[in-house]
Amino acid sequence: MTELFFYTSKFLWIIVSPDNLFVILLSLSLILFLINQRAKALILLSLLTFSVILISVFPIGGWMFYPLEKQFETNPKLPEKIDGVIILGGSVYAQTSKAWQQLETNEYGERLSEGIKLALKFPDARLVFTGGNAGLDRDAPTEAEFVKQHLMSFGIASERILIEAEARNTAENASLTKRLVKPLTDENWILVTTAFHMPRSIGVFCKQGWSVIPYPVDHQTVPEKAYTPSFSLVDHASDLVKATHEWLGLLAYYKSGKTDELIPQQCTQSN
């Protein structure tokens, strides 16, 4: 079932991703025009044009991000004793890193930087990075291949660092990390990931019976400007794709039993 879920989710996303869906519908409108279904083609083109204008002017992706980003407290008060920090993958361009032989990060680099800060703040805590190859090419490099040396360059001792290099999605991040760490019931572990991704992440860790402390980073929204129109097609379209992916991920995880709530909250169960 794990393999079926992984490959099904990848192929379905190719179809329903807003950018790909736009290309599909645009191609359909051309086909309709060529087979003399011009009225239908005009209707579809009009809808696509209206959608582009709407996305250009309004930050719809941001509206979708905000309910997820406000779910957990930013800079939460932490216990004095922290046993470990977990950094979820998704911030490293693995293929680019391999090509240039240095760590190359994307817009979610704050996962790494804030995780490192927490590891330095709590020098007795273990530091876990979990991130394998999330693509369909099984021979592609993994994020984890390039992270350990980066972490050690900040003075974090090698024996404190645990690398989980097999996880392909968030559900596997939780299950494989728990198998690696074997946390005890009285331990305090911090989970670091992007704010809009935190509900789904907390949900799968809860499902594993592991009550971690959410530490959201990489916020994408500015709440007081959430409803301010601004003409930016590329930025708004990019946010819409990412937000759609996250909401569909939440729905898929809930329906498949990987989480117990559509928008998970902090769990209270023990490890």
Side-chain angles (χ1 to χ4, degrees), residues 49-69:
T49 302
F50 175 77
S51 298
V52 169
I53 295 171
L54 191 67
I55 293 168
S56 297
V57 176
F58 295 103
I60 299 172
W63 300 347
M64 297 167 69
F65 281 141
Y66 184 61
L68 304 178
E69 292 194 337

Side-chain angles (χ1 to χ4, degrees), residues 31-155:
I31 293 171
L32 289 171
F33 182 82
L34 292 175
I35 63 174
N36 293 320
Q37 298 290 321
R38 297 189 177 185
K40 293 179 181 178
L42 181 60
I43 291 172
L44 186 53
L45 280 172
S46 298
L47 289 173
L48 291 173
T49 302
F50 175 77
S51 298
V52 169
I53 295 171
L54 191 67
I55 293 168
S56 297
V57 176
F58 295 103
I60 299 172
W63 300 347
M64 297 167 69
F65 281 141
Y66 184 61
L68 304 178
E69 292 194 337
K70 71 176 184 178
Q71 195 73 14
F72 294 98
E73 180 183 1
T74 305
N75 301 314
K77 184 177 180 180
L78 300 172
E80 291 185 8
K81 175 180 173 288
I82 293 295
D83 297 279
V85 178
I86 305 163
I87 304 172
L88 290 197
S91 60
V92 176
Y93 285 128
Q95 299 223 28
T96 310
S97 298
K98 182 177 181 179
W100 294 100
Q101 288 301 299
Q102 67 177 34
L103 187 77
E104 302 281 350
T105 60
N106 57 30
E107 68 268 33
Y108 305 130
E110 198 174 323
R111 298 184 189 187
L112 270 176
S113 62
E114 288 300 312
I116 290 168
K117 286 181 183 178
L118 289 167
L120 295 175
K121 182 177 180 180
F122 299 100
D124 295 326
R126 286 175 284 174
L127 179 60
V128 180
F129 179 88
T130 167
N133 172 14
L136 295 174
D137 180 3
R138 302 316 303 153
D139 295 324
T142 67
E143 293 185 69
E145 292 178 36
F146 306 94
V147 169
K148 187 169 184 178
Q149 289 299 319
H150 180 71
L151 299 177
M152 291 174 61
S153 70
F154 287 86

Side-chain angles (χ1 to χ4, degrees), residues 4-16:
L4 178 62
F5 181 87
F6 175 76
Y7 286 106
T8 300
S9 64
K10 289 294 181 182
F11 284 117
L12 285 178
W13 175 243
I14 291 173
I15 298 171
V16 302

Side-chain angles (χ1 to χ4, degrees), residues 164 172-183 205 207-210 270-271:
E164 187 290 299
E172 292 181 1
N173 285 139
S175 61
L176 296 177
T177 300
K178 186 177 183 183
R179 185 187 305 172
L180 174 68
V181 170
K182 299 179 177 60
F205 274 83
K207 193 70 176 182
Q208 291 293 320
W210 192 357
S270 60
N271 299 44

